[in-house]
Amino acid sequence: MTVGPGGDRPGAELGRARWPEVGESVLAVPLGSTEQHGPHLPLDTDTTIAAALARGLAARVPDVVVAPAVPYGASGEHAGFPGTLSIGTQALERLLVELGRSADRFRGVVFVNGHGGNVEALHAAVRLLRSEGRRVLAWAPSGQPDDSHAGRTETSAMLRLRPDDVRLDVAEAGTTAPLPELLDALRDGGVGAVSANGVLGDPAGASADDGARRLDGWADDLASAVRSWLTHES
């Protein structure tokens, strides 16, 4: 079972369903961003990957419905690059809390996060929602500390999902230092302070086959986490 442009389970998308069809489903909410991803990847890369993984979850676990993706996140670190739109941590936290509160008719809510900058808001929202007695899970794909933004991992994923929107002819390495070594400079000056082209990593060697393998592995991990959560919460 693969994650890709045509991998959706029929009826698994909330935006295309009618309310009598939803039932006692688990709601998967993809969280992304609209931000620069180097000169070669589209601004909605994080949103595209999160949505694909949520659809992969719906294909693997019964009774999962995928909500329309949240396309804006906390992306202030990318503000120095044109095209980046950010709502910030506080607004994102409030948005996620209200989404979670509105989903009480679902069996539970799984936030599938595709952007690292969303983590603070997401964790705060999940803590509050759980304190209110709601069933909520936050999940994000694992990454590599020296390939955290627009490098080989994300480029491969996008070559699998939307190859026509990837400009390999202008793809180039950015800074390849591990992310922990860059955090202080990132906090002070944003991504532009450590990478002139906005890339943290190196897209060299990216391929659709590598993207398919990574996406399938992430979707399998997500499905396993959700099954475990549902069993524990039952």
Side-chain angles (χ1 to χ4, degrees):
M1 186 177 298
T2 61
V3 176
D8 303 7
R9 175 172 59 81
E13 293 192 25
L14 183 65
R16 301 174 64 181
R18 272 71 56 180
W19 73 260
E21 301 167 346
V22 175
E24 292 294 320
S25 304
V26 172
L27 182 67
V29 182
L31 306 181
S33 67
T34 299
E35 64 184 35
Q36 71 83 21
H37 271 76
H40 63 293
L41 293 181
L43 296 166
D44 65 348
T45 289
D46 290 340
T47 308
T48 297
I49 292 173
L53 293 175
R55 294 193 300 269
L57 171 64
R60 288 163 170 78
V61 178
D63 299 323
V64 171
V65 175
V66 180
V70 177
Y72 304 112
S75 301
E77 69 274 19
H78 297 281
F81 295 86
T84 296
L85 299 174
S86 174
I87 62 173
T89 296
Q90 185 175 5
L92 180 60
E93 178 185 345
R94 173 53 57 188
L95 171 65
L96 299 180
V97 167
E98 296 302 333
L99 280 175
R101 287 172 173 168
S102 74
D104 283 346
R105 297 298 294 271
F106 289 88
R107 185 180 175 191
V109 177
V110 179
F111 290 113
V112 181
N113 182 37
H115 170 51
N118 295 341
V119 168
E120 181 180 347
L122 176 58
H123 286 176
V126 167
R127 283 195 301 270
L128 178 56
L129 290 166
R130 286 178 174 172
S131 74
E132 296 174 345
R134 292 179 166 88
R135 303 180 66 189
V136 186
L137 176 69
W139 183 91
S142 59
Q144 309 225 357
D146 57 350
D147 181 33
S148 58
H149 189 74
R152 176 172 175 170
T153 299
E154 288 188 319
T155 302
S156 291
M158 290 302 287
L159 283 170
R160 165 61 179 152
L161 296 171
R162 283 181 25 212
D164 291 344
D165 291 329
V166 179
R167 288 280 310 276
L168 288 180
D169 58 311
V170 295
E172 59 184 8
T175 183
T176 56
L179 184 59
E181 297 179 10
L182 303 174
L183 285 179
D184 289 342
L186 280 169
R187 291 191 185 101
D188 291 340
V191 173
V194 300
S195 175
N197 67 356
V199 177
L200 304 179
D202 186 352
S207 69
D209 287 344
D210 183 39
R213 179 182 60 80
R214 292 176 186 272
L215 289 164
D216 286 336
W218 285 334
D220 288 342
D221 289 345
L222 171 57
S224 177
V226 169
R227 292 190 192 101
S228 177
W229 170 66
L230 290 174
T231 300
H232 177 73
E233 293 287 331
S234 298

